[in-house]
Each structure stands twice: as C-alpha cells, then as structure tokens.
Amino acid sequence: MNAQKLVSIVPSLTPFKWYGKVTRVVGLTIESKGPQASIGDLCYIFCGKSKSQKVKAEVVGFRDENVLLMPLNGTVDISPGSLVEATGKPLEVKVGTELIGKVIDGCGELLTNDASLPKGLTSFPTDNSPPNPLLRPRIHEKMSLGIRAIDSLFTVGKGQRIGIFAGSGVGKSTLLSMLAKNSAADVNVIALIGERGREVKDFIERDLGEEGLQKTVLVVATSDQPALMRIKGAMTATAVAEYFRNQGLDVNLMMDSVTRFAMAQREIGLAIGEPPTSKGYTPSVFAMLPRLLERSGTDQFGSITAFYTVLVDGDDMNEPIADAVRGILDGHLVLDRKLANKGQFPAINVLKSVSRVMADIVDEEHKSTADQVRSLLSIYDDNEDLINIGAYKRGASREIDEAISVYPQIINFLKQSTTEVVSIDQSIDRLIAEFAKGGSS
C-alpha cells in the first residue's frame, strides 16, 4: 500500500473499540446495551464458559436505545451479559481467482474444515450498490448457453438477468448444472440458498461434476442455517460475481433460489417487528429484492449474466415474490410440470416464457423463425383437446393442419439430454433449417 493511500485512511481510524452487553434474546433477535454501531455493521459476541467463543452477528435495527443483532451462527452459548464488540464495518469476504473450484459458505469461509482459504485473496464488501444506470452499456452481444431451447427461442445477451420459475422437482437444478457446464462464460458463481443439506453434495457430484466445478465458485447456505446466513449467501455470491466482473470477465451468476432469500428476509423482518403484508412478507422483502437483483448485469468493465430460480407454490405464477421478481428481471423461463411429466426436458414452456432482450441482439430471420415456432405451438395448444379426442377433422384449417404435422418435430427440437452440448450457432442454424418458411420442413 503506497504512502498516499495510508495517509488517506488515517481520518477513518479510531483508537477506541466499542463494546456492549447482551441484555436479552428473543427468538432470532439479540438485544444489547451498546455498542456504538450502524445498521449492517458486523459485531462479535463473546460467549461460552470461557468467553473465548466468538459469534458473528449483524446490526439489523434499534429499539429503545438498544441495538438489535441477528446472528450468523447459532445462539446456543449466548447468555445475559455476553460481551458485544463492534467492528465498525460490514461483512467482507476474501475473493480472487484462487477461489474458483472452491465451495464456500455465506461468510466466504471454505465449507471443508480441513482446509483454509488460498493465499493472495482480496477483501471485498458483500453489500454493494448496483452500477450507475447511465454507466451500464446496452446489451448487444449474445451469450452461448449450450441449451438449444434457450439459445434459439429465448436468446440471452451478456449481462441479461433471467428468472427461472418452477415448482419443486421440475428440473431447476438440472437446468442450472447444464448452464454451468455448457455456457461460454469465463467463470460461474452458483449460490445454493436455503437448500437441503443432502442435496448440496448431490448437486456438486451428480449435477455439476468435476468439469462444471473447474470454472465455478459455489456458495452454499443450507436451510438449517440462520436466516441472516441465507441472506449473506446471496449477497456473498453476488459480491464474488461483481469482483470477477470488475476484472473484465463475463460471469454467469446462478442463484437457487430467490424465494428462499425472500423467506429469510421475512423471518428477519418479522423478528424485528415489521408488519406482515402480502402473504406474510414484510415491506423490507420488496425493498431488498431490487437491491439484490439490480447488482447483476453489465457495467463499464464486464458483465454478469444472471439466472435466478423462483419457487412458485402450487405452480402459482402470480404469488407475491414471483410477481415482484418478474417485474425486475429482463425475462423469464417457466418450467412446466405437465411437460416434465411427459418426459420433455428441459421442461420449458415456450408460450409462457420470454426474453426481453432477444429482439435487440438477433437478426430478422432468426426472430421471425422463432416467432413462427411459437405461433405453431400456440395453435396446437389451443386445439389440443379437440385433436386428442378426434373432434378435429384434417382439412378444416390449414394452420391447424400445419401445427399438427410440425408439432413432433418442434418437441424433438426442444428436448435435450444433459450430456448433449450444442453451441448457439448450431442451435440457430438448426432452428432456421427446420422451421423457417421455405426451409426443409
């Protein structure tokens, strides 16, 4: 560090350390008398019989001149009078290229107990402001994802943010693993937020595999961890992606799931006294969502192409979180349980999905062919019941006849095994060859 930088940080230094004492613990919330701290600051609570054990906690509010803290670890050993030390700054994590291939928790620590973080990493704050909207370059370049249905019908641009909406067990994790292995991004950052502990290793070994892990940083905050740790998992993953974007790289950020992030914020909001609103979600949830989601995208250095999964209860696409996220992002892919039950994977419902950026980054032939496929699928879908019961007679409508004849070809085009890798150019060429007017179809 040069002398000028050292001099510039002198005014921010203080010779004092601020301490407080725990007065009570109610549910998820720890109340303490002192220390002097600001919202979002990291504190350490000294607990255990010898007072040598340190629990990380964050300042989440104030009540009657007391500080409200939320723990990042458990609260088991905290007792009245436990010492609280203020750090005077928010949580920071260590980031760097040496982190690629590693699995970390929401605080940026390695999940494997027998290893320590690599040397040469840089401290980076977890809660950053989104890029200035006027400094965001427009999205003009396609991102190859290696999934034929998306590359051809919902072409994604570098820096676009997409929601993946689905109920449980419809193939979200499998789709994320295909994106991690097949995409042309320089590095992947995957956040598993509120995931079952059993499924973490399944995802790493079965879905992601060694090939996918080699260019991935995995951030894990399981469902058994405190609500604040699940929120920090999402923030840390976004911060790691921002670090790589600042290096001029094209990053894929995948988060599973935003819904569990929102549920964790609801827990915290209710614990500190916020009023519940729509479906029990507190106002802070709907303030936190854009703060998190707007951090991805393009800036003057690089891009973060982001995929956020949203769990929809009972496949209800209009529940509060799904509705809020859909309004913020640049498109959405809807995974349909009916299609999954038919054995169509990835189970993307073409008629309910959209990419808001596609029209700006593809040529006219590609766009018109994709519209033609959607039109044929729509015609078939509208008349499927009549077709299945034999009430439709061939020749009654030229459009319906065409939709019936080309439907099996479209389904075959949309299906893709997890081991099949196709480039974006191959996907587009096949789309045009099979379905363009005057093409081979």
Side-chain angles (χ1 to χ4, degrees):
M1 187 180 293
N2 60 43
Q4 188 176 357
K5 191 165 185 183
L6 282 171
V7 170
S8 69
I9 64 173
V10 167
S12 64
L13 299 177
T14 173
F16 305 107
K17 278 194 174 182
W18 298 98
Y19 290 95
K21 283 189 176 181
V22 171
T23 54
R24 69 172 183 166
V25 178
V26 181
L28 301 171
T29 314
I30 302 163
E31 264 187 55
S32 71
K33 195 75 175 174
Q36 182 174 311
S38 305
I39 294 286
D41 279 1
L42 181 69
C43 294
Y44 291 111
I45 303 173
F46 294 86
C47 55
K49 290 182 181 177
S50 63
K51 304 295 181 186
S52 60
Q53 185 181 339
K54 287 202 297 189
V55 170
K56 288 179 181 175
E58 185 176 290
V59 179
V60 294
F62 306 98
R63 181 185 294 144
D64 299 330
E65 298 184 4
N66 285 345
V67 178
L68 299 182
L69 300 155
M70 198 74 67
L72 286 159
N73 319 95
T75 58
V76 176
D77 294 317
I78 296 172
S79 57
S82 290
L83 201 63
V84 182
E85 179 189 323
T87 64
K89 59 183 181 181
L91 177 69
E92 292 185 343
V93 293
K94 298 285 189 179
V95 293
T97 53
E98 295 83 357
L99 213 56
I100 297 172
K102 302 288 192 293
V103 183
I104 60 174
D105 65 13
C107 290
E109 300 293 334
L110 289 180
L111 274 185
T112 47
N113 296 325
D114 58 341
S116 56
L117 285 168
K119 303 291 184 185
L121 299 179
T122 306
S123 290
F124 199 80
T126 58
D127 195 356
N128 301 300
S129 299
N132 184 322
L134 295 182
L135 297 180
R136 284 184 185 266
R138 292 190 62 193
I139 297 170
H140 57 83
E141 193 176 346
K142 297 191 283 280
M143 167 67 84
S144 177
L145 300 175
I147 299 175
R148 189 163 46 241
I150 302 175
D151 281 342
S152 58
L153 299 179
F154 309 102
T155 309
V156 172
K158 288 182 180 178
Q160 187 173 350
R161 300 158 306 149
I162 294 280
I164 300 174
F165 294 74
S168 55
V170 189
K172 295 187 303 299
S173 296
T174 305
L175 185 61
L176 290 183
S177 69
M178 290 175 72
L179 289 169
K181 288 186 285 190
N182 299 350
S183 82
D186 298 314
V187 63
N188 300 308
V189 180
I190 302 178
L192 301 181
I193 308 302
E195 195 63 89
R196 303 175 190 89
R198 174 189 63 80
E199 292 187 343
V200 173
K201 202 160 188 182
D202 283 352
F203 179 80
I204 294 170
E205 294 184 357
R206 182 193 63 202
D207 295 330
L208 195 57
E210 193 175 330
E211 174 195 355
L213 192 60
Q214 280 178 354
K215 66 170 188 172
T216 298
V217 179
L218 196 63
V219 183
V220 175
T222 51
S223 58
D224 60 292
Q225 293 180 312
L228 189 59
M229 192 61 138
R230 281 173 266 149
I231 286 177
K232 288 302 173 191
M235 295 294 191
T236 296
T238 308
V240 172
E242 287 171 329
Y243 170 82
F244 287 120
R245 178 178 64 185
N246 291 348
Q247 310 307 307
L249 301 178
D250 294 317
V251 186
N252 261 6
L253 171 63
M254 290 161 269
M255 190 175 295
D256 184 15
S257 69
V258 171
T259 308
R260 295 194 185 108
F261 168 84
M263 287 176 174
Q265 181 59 33
R266 176 174 64 181
E267 284 181 45
I268 292 173
L270 292 173
I272 63 175
E274 279 192 80
T277 53
S278 181
K279 278 203 173 180
Y281 288 103
T282 56
S284 64
V285 173
F286 300 100
M288 286 281 282
L289 281 172
R291 266 185 60 200
L292 175 72
L293 303 178
E294 287 287 356
R295 286 169 62 183
S296 54
T298 58
D299 72 359
Q300 62 267 46
F301 304 111
S303 70
I304 299 175
T305 308
F307 298 87
Y308 299 98
T309 71
V310 181
L311 287 165
V312 284
D313 293 333
D315 297 330
D316 175 17
M317 290 295 297
N318 295 314
E319 62 95 29
I321 299 304
D323 206 39
V325 171
R326 193 166 54 241
I328 297 167
L329 299 180
D330 309 316
H332 53 271
L333 302 171
V334 177
L335 303 189
D336 195 318
R337 193 175 302 278
K338 273 194 344 185
L339 298 178
N341 292 340
K342 290 178 182 178
Q344 180 181 325
F345 290 100
I348 298 169
N349 188 317
V350 172
L351 301 178
K352 292 181 179 178
S353 305
V354 68
S355 169
R356 295 177 183 169
V357 173
M358 180 176 173
D360 297 331
I361 57 175
V362 301
D363 60 41
E364 190 56 41
E365 185 182 25
H366 179 183
K367 183 177 178 298
S368 63
T369 308
D371 289 343
Q372 167 76 0
V373 170
R374 275 190 284 270
S375 174
L376 292 168
L377 273 176
S378 177
I379 293 167
Y380 186 91
D381 188 66
D382 290 343
N383 297 277
E384 187 173 16
D385 291 340
L386 292 175
I387 295 165
N388 288 341
I389 64 173
Y392 174 76
K393 300 300 179 188
R394 188 173 289 274
S397 165
R398 184 181 60 80
E399 287 183 336
I400 298 176
D401 288 347
E402 184 183 3
I404 293 171
S405 66
V406 83
Y407 182 75
Q409 191 178 354
I410 293 175
I411 298 305
N412 184 55
F413 175 82
L414 296 176
K415 284 183 178 180
Q416 184 175 338
S417 72
T418 55
T419 56
E420 185 183 357
V421 181
V422 289
S423 70
I424 187 169
D425 292 333
Q426 290 172 328
S427 298
I428 295 169
D429 289 346
R430 180 174 166 185
L431 174 80
I432 293 170
E434 293 190 13
F435 304 109
K437 289 185 176 179
S440 61
S441 62

